[in-house]
Structure formats: C-alpha cells, structure tokens
Amino acid sequence: MKAAEIRAKWLKFFESKGHKVEPSASLVPHNDPSLLWINAGIAPLKPYLDGREIPDNPRITNAQKCIRTNDIENVGKTRRHQTFFEMLGNFSIGDYFKDEVIVWAWEFLTSKDYIGFDPERLSVTVHPDDEDAYRLWNETVGLPAERIVKLDGNFWEIGEGPCGPCTEIFYDRGEQYGNDPSDPELYPGGENERYLEVWNLVFTQYNLNKDGSYTPLPNKNIDTGAGLERFASILQDVDSNFDTDLFLPIIEKTCEIAGVKYKDSLEKDIALKVIADHARTVVFAAGDGVLPSNEGRGYVIRRLLRRAVRYGKTLGVDRPFLYRLTETIGDIMGVYYPEVVEKREFIEKVIRGEEEQFHRTLEGGLGLLEQLARAAKADGRTEIGGEDAFKLYDTFGFPFDLTEDYASENGLGVDRGGFDQAMEAQRSRARAARQETGGMSVQGGALSEFTEPSEFIGYSRLVGDAVVTGIVLDGELVDIAGEGSRVLVLLDRTPFYAESGGQVGDKGLLQAPGLKLQVEDVTKAPHGQPVHHALVVEGALRKGGQVAAEVSSSSRGDTVKNHTATHLLHKALKETLGGHVNQAGSLVEPDRLRFDFSHIGSISAAELAEIERRVNEQIWAGTPVVIESKPIAEAKAMGAMALFGEKYGDVVRVVQVGDYSIELCGGCHVENTSQIGLFKIVGETGIGSGVRRIEAVTGRSAYAYLEGRLELLEQAASLLKAGAADVPRRLEALLGQVKELQRDNESLQGKLSRIEAGQLESGVKTAGDVSVLAAQVSAPTMDALRGIADELRLKLPAAVIALGAPADGKVNLVVSVPQELVKKGFHAGKIIKEAAAACGGGGGGRPDMAQAGGKDPSKLGEALRLVEELVLAQANVI
C-alpha cells in the first residue's frame, strides 16, 4: 500500500467517525522541545485541551508535518530516525474517550478496508494504574493478557499543561528481527527492532501544575499520533522507512546524480539516507518560509542542508545537487502538500544559493580541518583543539557543529570548552571596542527588582495624568532629581509607547507647575514597565509627585503612518513576490520605515514599482483600520498573520486593514489608511543570505523626499538649459558626445605614443646580445604608459623596455621583457620591484610584463638608471 493511500484511508476513517479534517498548514514552533515544528493547524490545541476554549467541532483529525532535530547524528544509521516525518493524528476535545478510541484504533488497524494488519501481530502497552485501558484491550477488543504490557513510562507530559496516561500499539515484525528469549529488551516497548510502535493513544485527563501536582482537567481529551512512515514500512514489507515510497525515489535520484548504487556499501547507504531525509526537511522548511540563516530555526535548517552537502561530497558530488531533489520530493508529497510543488522554483533557488555559498566555505576551510585531524591523530590526541575549532569558525565560517561532525567521522572529538573560551574572549574584545552605553545597560541593576506596575493608555490617548513611581539617577533609585539631570522615570500609567516590535519609543513632555521634563526616548524595564528617558529642563522631579504626561502628537502621528504602512508593505510583498515572503525585522520611526523580509534573489525595478503601487492603492482607498483584542486561536482562525518565531499570549491584538491585511501586532496605527497620505520606496538591498531590506517614507517625509528629487531635476534641467521633460534626452545626447570624445582622445593618445616611442629608440643600451631601454616619458595614466611600451615592443622586439612617468604627484612604472630573455633568466616582476622601491613604492608581475607605482617622482631618474644597471649587469654574467 502506497503512503499516500495510507494517509487518505486515515482521514477517510476518522471523517466517517464525525471528525473534522484539519487541512495541511504551515509549520510553527511547538511546545514540545523534541519537536521543533509542527503543523500550524494542530499547534493551537492546548486552549481546547485545558478547557479555555471550545472548538466548533470537538472531533479533529489530520496528517501533520513535523520536524525533529534532537538526534540528527542517528539519521541514516538506524531504520527509523528522521528529521522530517508525518504524524497522523485524531483528537477529541471533551467528547469521546478511551472506550471509543481504543475500539476505533483496533478497527482501523485490523480492518481489510483500511490497514488490514494481522491481529495476531499486534501488542499494546498501558500504564500500570490505567485499569480502564487494560480492561478495554483485554475484554472489549479481546487482546490476550500476554500481549498487554504494563509500563511505568506510559504517561505523556511535556512540562506544565495537559497530560495523562497513554497506550502504545506495537506491530510484531517477526523473528528475523529478534528471537533471543534471553534478551531483556525483547518485548513491546523495549529497545529492539522486532516490536515496532505504530500508534500512541494519549488520554489527556490531567493538568500538570507549576508545583508538580496533578489536577483533573475540566474535560477528558484524546490526543493520538501514528507514524505514516512506519505504517508504510510494514505495509510495503521493507526493511526500513528509507526503503518506502516516501524515500526511495529521492535516494534513486541521488544515485543518478552521484553515479552510485544503493545497497552497494554501508557508508554510501548512510550518505544516501541522510541526504534523502535532510532534503525533505529543507524543502518543506523553505516552502514554509523558514530560510537558512545564522541563528534560531534558520540555523537548524542551514546545518541540515550543509550536512547533506557534505555527505554528497562523500559520494563524489562536488557541485550543488540538493536543489535538484526538490522536484522528486514534490512528486512524492505534492498530492497532500501542494506548496512543495507550487513553490518549487523558489525552494530550488533557496537551496541552490545556500549550496553554492557552502561550497565556497568548504573550499576555504576543509583543507585546514583535514590537516588538524591528521595532526591530532599523529600526536595521539583524541580531539581537535578548541582554539583551532574557533579559528575555523572565525576565519572560514565553519560552525562548531560542522567541525564536530567531521571530527566524529574521523574518530575524534572537539574541545568544546576551549572553543567557548575563545568565543567569549572575542566577544569581550568586541564589547570593549564598542564601549557600549545607553539602552537598558544604563539602568544597571536599579530596576531589576522594581515590580510596581505601569498601565499603558497610549492606544487611545496621547495625554494623561500620572504618578511618579520610580526615578533612576546615575544608576540608582532616588526620591528626587534636580534641574539639568538626565533621569529614567517610571509612572503608574502612561500614554508613552515603549520601544518594541520595531516601533521606536515616543517623545514628549512630563509637566507639573514649576516642573518640565523633555522625554527623549521610552524603553521597557526588566519587568515590562515603560521607562521614560528624560531631561529635567525645569524644577525638581519627586517620587510620588503627579505629572501630566503628553506625547508629541506630530512624532507619534508620523510613526503610526509608517507602522501601518509596514503592514500594507508586507502584504504587497507577498502578492508581488510570492507567499514565501515573511517579515524578518522592522524599524518604525517618525521619518522613515525599514522592513526586512525573506526572499532569495534581487528585486527588479518593475517589481518595486508594483509593490509601491499596491501599497498606495490601499492608502488612497481610505480603508478603516480595525483593532481588536481576541483569543489567539480565534485570531489565527480569522487568518491573522503571526511573525514566525514570535511568542504570543492567550489574548492578542489583531490589526485588520479592510480585507487586505490582518496581522497580530502590539504597536500603534492610524485609524484609516488615507491618513498615511503617500508611500514611497527610497531604497532596496540585500542584507544577508535570503534576507532583503526595503526602506521607505510616508506622509510629510514622502512629500519632502519627492520635493527634493524634483529640486534636483530642476537643477539638472537648468544646467542642461532644457525643460525637465527633456532632461533624459539631453543627457543621452551628452553621453554620446562624451563617448565620441573618448574615442578621439584614445586615437590621439595612440598617435602621441607612436611619436614618443620613435623618439626614444636612440636611447637603447647594449651588453652582449642584450639590449635595454630605460626612459622617462610623458603619460598621464598607466594605460597611456602601457601604450607607449607596446609601441616600443613592436620597434624593439628583442629589448628590455622600462618606462616611467610622473602622474598626479606619484610615479607609474612599466617593464617589458621579451620571451627569449625570459628564458635566459630575466624577470620583469623582479626588475620592477627594485625600481619601484627606489621611488618609495612597490609592485610586481609576470616574467614578461610588470607594472608598479611609486610615491616620489624626484627619484624616477634614479629608478630608471637602476633598471639599466640591473639588466646590463645580468647580461654581462650570462
């Protein structure tokens, strides 16, 4: 049975039991630390399981794409370790429980209409205290007691939250996978290859509290997971997951590329399996916008891709190849996961670019790494030194785990402590060099224990009365600060927005009779309160005093225009460049915005114009901006765009611009897009691997920018004595004239070179059969000097020619040696090096031609005489 058919049967079976089929969704971070990502459709289940929310349908089923990378070193070496896998799941939220799910599991596994396993090959494990599960398996299903194993480990929990006992179902693969009765691990649930776990039914009926205690949940729930790859390996009667139709086509394609055979050698088979596994992971991650980078989850993807490339090298593949597997993966998975087909071109572009970059890295550092490994073995050491590992990292970009992987393959370890020590020493040097000031470091420890709350009222108002709850002066909490002091101020309530989410802090005033403070910035304290960075302009500020807090309306007004514009820009980028685009950072200030986003390759002028047009159309449409607080599950159900990797609370702020854009955001925004006025892109560039940046202006800044451009155009028109509309035509005509003048100049320079060359022939000196001409000439550039030398080579083909010319207070030198004299040991590069040194310069070149520069024109004559002496002296020795 093909894997796609197994998946379809699963969904069909549970749909027949009243389950809602949850479609495939993007990967999102998962709360289980062993699962890096999981299908977004299932990730928000926790509020359902603990009773905070009620789903539309309490019965849910799906096929989940999952990524787990906690034991990648085992991939390819065991039958079932994978970094990407599919988990088939069915869930009950306070609806059915053990009685139903155990019977259904047995029905699905043994029915000929679905999986059709031989019932005699199935065994289960249960928790020793779960008498209900034992009774259901034994009495209701009819499983004999000897095939029901009680295990203490059958309790599922991943930290604070819903948890409960579980029952796992195992398939007996036969005696060929183990038949030693003395093996203490040969039982369902033991560490063996015979009894293969295919399904885990979790009964989430408790909540694990912070203090370690357990309390019953409001509802009893079911959360199950079955391995598609494991089902496939059994039903297709193959030795491992890698021999199923989920992997074998990828392995065969890799064999075709590498010119190797599968099942030919253990070493090659491991490499082929690693490549197939890692390729699937990278393709799905890139398809969901998780791009290789140097930090976070992007670093995990980069590491997997680089591991696959290195295993490719062990197969003899020294060129980018991994991207070519994207099409094969799409052929296998595209029926249920269409994104890997729809985004194939983008995914291939991401992977190929990363491969090419990594090949350059390997070329630089792999040789040194091999030397270090050989040296360690020769010295009898068991590991590569930490300093050496850091040198590889710092000089060649080799991450520590890459060095560690290579060392492990050569039977060595790596000194992690020494590496960390070298890394920290570098960081300390960097910190000292930066001489960091500002930010929260200014506060020292003064606010680390300050816990008095502060209410933010600035979403709806820019002015409000407040009480001073804290003052920091010179790093210490104080009760009073006098005129001229620079202080950090905390209030019980404030309309000032503290810098976060890319939006800068507000500016404004804190005032009272006889008191005035200029607020220059607002950041967040360690416990989240807004901290006002302020100058006491007049009077004395006292703790407990009351002030009127007033945000600069013009500064905030310009900032919110830019912030809402970033939301419109994000959507316009997705529409124009593709759904893979995701925000990678932003900066929202009063006078500009900056937006970083994931995208491979350059962006054309036409695409930028289209992006800009789409944003402005939304501005001119005058669309209301609706902001509401909602439970996060409801917000995501609405289609709200969350930033990948960001952490959100149970209740989130949803910013919706008509039907165009909907995002989760805690920042400040306009009430209607028409308030933005105008949006203008002023810059676009790449800032890293797969990340680009757009800078733009809105409102009055956009007007000022365009006015400045118009002024420049008018100045250009005035200089050209033309109207603004005629500037391009006039410039084109001028450029044509410049090119013609350059051609005339080159022609005249050639004539002058020939004339000057003819005048120099009489200066040739000879020793034996060696001739040399060393002369000072008039040549404004190095090109002109080489032109004269070329003319002289035609006239004096057997002579050493050395020419020098003063140019802009410096010296240009050129030396030419004919091939016959090169054979006798004359070397232009060595000759010119001596001459340049005499002029205070340096240079070199090939044996037959070299050029150099010098700093002292007064020494030019001496340098040319030195050339004559060197050549004639060498000629006399021959």
Side-chain angles (χ1 to χ4, degrees):
M1 190 183 300
K2 291 185 179 297
E5 187 179 354
I6 299 170
R7 188 194 299 116
K9 284 178 178 289
W10 175 279
L11 299 176
K12 180 182 177 182
F13 177 83
F14 282 103
E15 197 171 17
S16 73
K17 305 297 184 185
H19 288 63
K20 175 189 175 185
V21 176
E22 190 73 40
S24 171
S26 297
L27 289 161
V28 296
H30 193 251
N31 57 341
D32 182 345
S34 69
L35 275 176
L36 194 62
W37 291 288
I38 196 166
N39 189 62
I42 291 303
L45 278 179
K46 187 175 179 181
Y48 297 152
L49 295 175
D50 63 19
R52 283 176 287 161
E53 297 175 26
I54 300 174
D56 294 335
N57 188 330
R59 300 184 179 192
I60 302 169
T61 186
N62 82 334
Q64 306 165 47
K65 49 187 177 182
C66 308
I67 294 178
R68 174 186 282 136
T69 59
N70 59 337
D71 51 3
I72 62 173
E73 65 280 355
N74 289 322
V75 174
K77 299 175 182 177
T78 70
R79 289 178 168 91
R80 281 170 292 282
H81 269 97
Q82 298 155 215
T83 58
F84 176 90
F85 60 96
E86 284 189 78
M87 188 188 300
L88 306 174
N90 65 288
F91 309 86
S92 166
I93 312 301
D95 187 21
Y96 63 82
F97 200 48
K98 297 179 188 179
D99 290 40
E100 294 87 351
V101 75
I102 287 177
V103 172
W104 288 344
W106 187 257
E107 178 186 353
F108 178 75
L109 292 176
T110 60
S111 168
K112 297 298 182 183
D113 293 332
Y114 293 99
I115 298 301
F117 283 158
D118 178 356
E120 298 300 317
R121 286 181 174 265
L122 296 177
S123 304
V124 301
T125 59
V126 297
H127 191 272
D129 297 334
D130 194 349
E131 296 178 0
D132 290 337
Y134 184 93
R135 175 184 54 79
L136 286 164
W137 283 119
N138 183 233
E139 298 178 11
T140 305
V141 171
L143 202 62
E146 62 267 21
R147 301 217 312 266
I148 305 174
V149 181
K150 294 182 178 182
L151 294 178
D152 288 328
N154 274 40
F155 196 93
W156 184 87
E157 63 183 24
I158 51 171
E160 183 185 353
C163 59
C166 63
T167 180
E168 297 174 330
I169 305 172
F170 293 81
Y171 181 86
D172 183 353
R173 303 177 71 212
E175 292 187 355
Q176 66 269 35
Y177 290 96
N179 63 355
D180 182 359
S182 65
D183 183 353
E185 292 293 328
L186 191 63
Y187 64 88
E191 290 294 328
N192 64 81
E193 289 291 343
R194 177 169 175 174
Y195 297 100
L196 178 62
E197 180 195 339
V198 294
W199 200 348
N200 186 10
L201 315 179
V202 181
F203 313 124
T204 49
Q205 59 194 89
Y206 303 110
N207 191 74
L208 174 58
N209 304 308
K210 287 183 178 179
D211 62 3
S213 63
Y214 296 89
T215 52
L217 289 170
N219 298 308
K220 294 180 178 180
N221 311 294
I222 294 295
D223 176 356
T224 89
L228 175 63
E229 291 84 0
R230 295 190 178 194
F231 276 148
S233 69
I234 296 170
L235 293 171
Q236 294 172 23
D237 192 23
V238 293
D239 183 61
S240 76
N241 292 356
F242 293 97
D243 298 301
T244 67
D245 63 341
L246 290 166
F247 284 97
L248 200 55
I250 309 171
I251 290 173
E252 289 171 344
K253 180 65 176 178
T254 307
C255 287
E256 177 190 322
I257 293 170
V260 299
K261 290 182 179 180
Y262 184 42
K263 301 291 178 79
D264 192 36
S265 76
L266 178 61
E267 183 181 0
K268 289 178 182 176
D269 286 355
I270 290 174
L272 289 166
K273 291 173 182 178
V274 169
I275 290 166
D277 170 80
H278 290 6
R280 289 207 318 168
T281 304
V282 173
V283 164
F284 271 91
D288 280 346
V290 186
L291 304 183
S293 68
N294 283 330
E295 56 188 34
R297 283 170 287 272
Y299 177 69
V300 175
I301 297 305
R302 172 165 282 171
R303 182 186 179 191
L304 291 174
L305 190 151
R306 290 182 168 188
R307 281 189 98 239
V309 171
R310 287 197 307 106
Y311 273 99
K313 289 181 77 69
T314 68
L315 298 176
V317 184
D318 289 316
R319 63 192 183 282
F321 76 99
L322 206 63
Y323 74 97
R324 294 173 61 186
L325 302 178
T326 304
E327 182 178 8
T328 305
I329 293 168
D331 291 342
I332 300 168
M333 312 292 285
V335 174
Y336 193 71
Y337 302 105
E339 64 270 20
V340 296
V341 176
E342 295 165 357
K343 299 179 180 178
R344 173 187 157 191
E345 185 178 348
F346 170 74
I347 295 169
E348 288 180 339
K349 198 172 185 180
V350 169
I351 296 174
R352 183 168 188 171
E354 187 70 16
E355 285 189 272
E356 289 171 345
Q357 178 182 323
F358 185 49
H359 274 284
R360 291 191 290 270
T361 298
L362 284 175
E363 287 170 10
L366 198 54
L368 176 58
L369 185 51
E370 290 169 350
Q371 290 176 22
L372 293 171
R374 284 196 301 269
K377 289 182 177 180
D379 295 343
R381 289 183 282 118
T382 59
E383 62 181 16
I384 292 173
E387 286 278 355
D388 291 330
F390 181 74
K391 181 181 178 182
L392 280 163
Y393 167 81
D394 198 37
T395 306
F396 298 103
F398 265 52
F400 180 84
D401 54 59
L402 179 60
T403 303
E404 197 171 41
D405 286 347
Y406 181 88
S408 175
E409 291 162 12
N410 284 270
L412 295 168
V414 185
D415 176 12
R416 180 76 205 215
F419 176 86
D420 290 341
Q421 188 174 359
M423 176 71 83
E424 183 54 38
Q426 186 196 59
R427 287 173 178 160
S428 297
R429 290 191 297 271
R431 283 194 293 268
R434 287 196 301 268
Q435 296 180 340
E436 290 181 334
T437 58
M440 295 306 295
S441 61
V442 175
Q443 300 171 20
L447 294 179
S448 59
E449 302 298 325
F450 191 91
T451 58
E452 289 193 42
S454 180
E455 178 190 2
F456 176 62
I457 60 173
Y459 285 135
S460 57
R461 49 197 298 198
L462 299 183
V463 179
D465 293 331
V467 175
V468 178
T469 57
I471 305 170
V472 177
L473 176 64
D474 295 330
E476 300 290 336
L477 282 165
V478 298
D479 292 332
I480 186 169
E483 189 171 306
S485 301
R486 289 195 174 275
V487 292
L488 305 176
V489 184
L490 293 100
L491 307 173
D492 67 335
R493 60 205 300 265
T494 179
F496 284 83
Y497 183 85
E499 179 180 350
S500 64
Q503 181 178 325
V504 298
D506 282 327
K507 302 181 187 305
L509 298 172
L510 300 178
Q511 297 182 95
L515 174 68
K516 180 178 180 181
L517 281 81
Q518 186 75 45
V519 177
E520 299 168 341
D521 193 12
V522 185
T523 59
K524 285 188 177 180
H527 295 282
Q529 310 97 321
V531 179
H532 307 75
H533 299 238
L535 172 65
V536 183
V537 178
E538 178 185 339
L541 178 70
R542 290 177 170 79
K543 182 180 178 182
Q546 191 165 28
V547 295
E550 180 178 352
V551 175
S552 167
S553 59
S554 63
S555 178
R556 169 73 81 82
D558 290 340
T559 300
V560 299
K561 290 179 176 68
N562 285 331
H563 201 155
T564 306
T566 63
H567 286 220
L568 300 178
L569 174 59
H570 195 180
K571 179 66 173 180
L573 285 164
K574 284 182 174 288
E575 289 181 329
T576 307
L577 303 179
H580 63 273
V581 169
N582 284 302
Q583 181 174 337
S586 69
L587 175 65
V588 180
E589 296 181 316
D591 57 349
R592 69 180 181 124
L593 67 90
R594 188 181 73 207
F595 191 81
D596 300 339
F597 56 97
S598 56
H599 181 65
I600 299 294
S602 60
I603 300 175
S604 68
E607 288 172 328
L608 281 176
E610 176 64 14
I611 293 162
E612 189 174 272
R613 182 190 66 78
R614 287 177 180 270
V615 174
N616 279 309
E617 281 188 349
Q618 293 301 317
I619 293 170
W620 301 330
T623 306
V625 178
V626 179
I627 302 175
E628 298 176 295
S629 293
K630 293 182 176 293
I632 189 166
E634 182 181 342
K636 288 184 176 179
M638 293 170 61
M641 194 187 310
L643 297 186
F644 191 89
E646 285 290 317
K647 293 183 179 179
Y648 296 96
D650 296 333
V651 177
V652 293
R653 207 159 166 268
V654 182
V655 178
Q656 187 167 7
V657 184
D659 296 329
Y660 190 69
S661 167
I662 178 168
E663 294 192 27
L664 306 183
C665 181
C668 305
H669 293 273
V670 299
E671 296 177 350
N672 187 290
T673 58
S674 63
Q675 294 170 342
I676 300 173
L678 182 66
F679 172 85
K680 184 66 185 172
I681 294 174
V682 299
E684 187 279 327
T685 185
I687 61 169
S689 178
V691 180
R692 301 197 70 81
R693 169 174 292 170
I694 280 180
E695 297 186 72
V697 288
T698 66
R700 75 180 83 196
S701 294
Y703 174 79
Y705 175 82
L706 292 174
E707 277 293 294
R709 291 296 189 209
L710 284 171
E711 185 177 340
L712 290 173
L713 178 60
E714 292 297 336
Q715 289 176 9
S718 177
L719 290 170
L720 293 169
K721 295 181 171 56
D726 294 326
V727 167
R729 182 178 57 80
R730 291 295 301 274
L731 281 174
E732 189 176 1
L734 280 175
L735 288 172
Q737 292 174 25
V738 168
K739 286 182 180 178
E740 191 156 338
L741 288 170
Q742 285 175 334
R743 285 195 295 269
D744 291 344
N745 184 55
E746 289 169 2
S747 176
L748 289 171
Q749 188 64 53
K751 291 177 182 178
L752 288 172
S753 296
R754 286 192 291 274
I755 293 169
E756 187 153 11
Q759 296 171 345
L760 293 172
E761 288 183 66
S762 60
V764 175
K765 294 186 179 180
T766 303
D769 58 354
V770 177
S771 299
V772 59
L773 172 62
Q776 179 173 329
V777 298
S778 298
T781 64
M782 181 62 81
D783 285 343
L785 187 62
R786 284 198 299 266
I788 298 172
D790 289 341
E791 289 293 333
L792 285 167
R793 289 169 67 185
L794 293 173
K795 295 176 180 295
L796 303 168
V800 174
I801 297 167
L803 302 178
D808 297 325
K810 297 182 180 180
V811 173
N812 287 330
L813 292 163
V814 65
V815 172
S816 170
V817 176
Q819 285 298 330
E820 288 302 317
L821 293 183
V822 169
K823 293 175 183 177
K824 294 181 179 181
F826 290 86
H827 193 291
K830 294 178 180 178
I831 295 170
I832 207 167
K833 185 177 181 181
E834 298 286 343
C839 296
R846 306 189 310 268
D848 63 328
M849 176 62 76
Q851 65 184 46
K855 300 177 182 177
D856 189 352
S858 68
K859 301 289 186 181
L860 179 54
E862 180 182 330
L864 292 170
R865 285 192 295 275
L866 177 60
V867 171
E868 280 186 356
E869 293 170 4
L870 289 171
V871 173
L872 296 174
Q874 188 172 350
N876 289 327
V877 172
I878 295 174

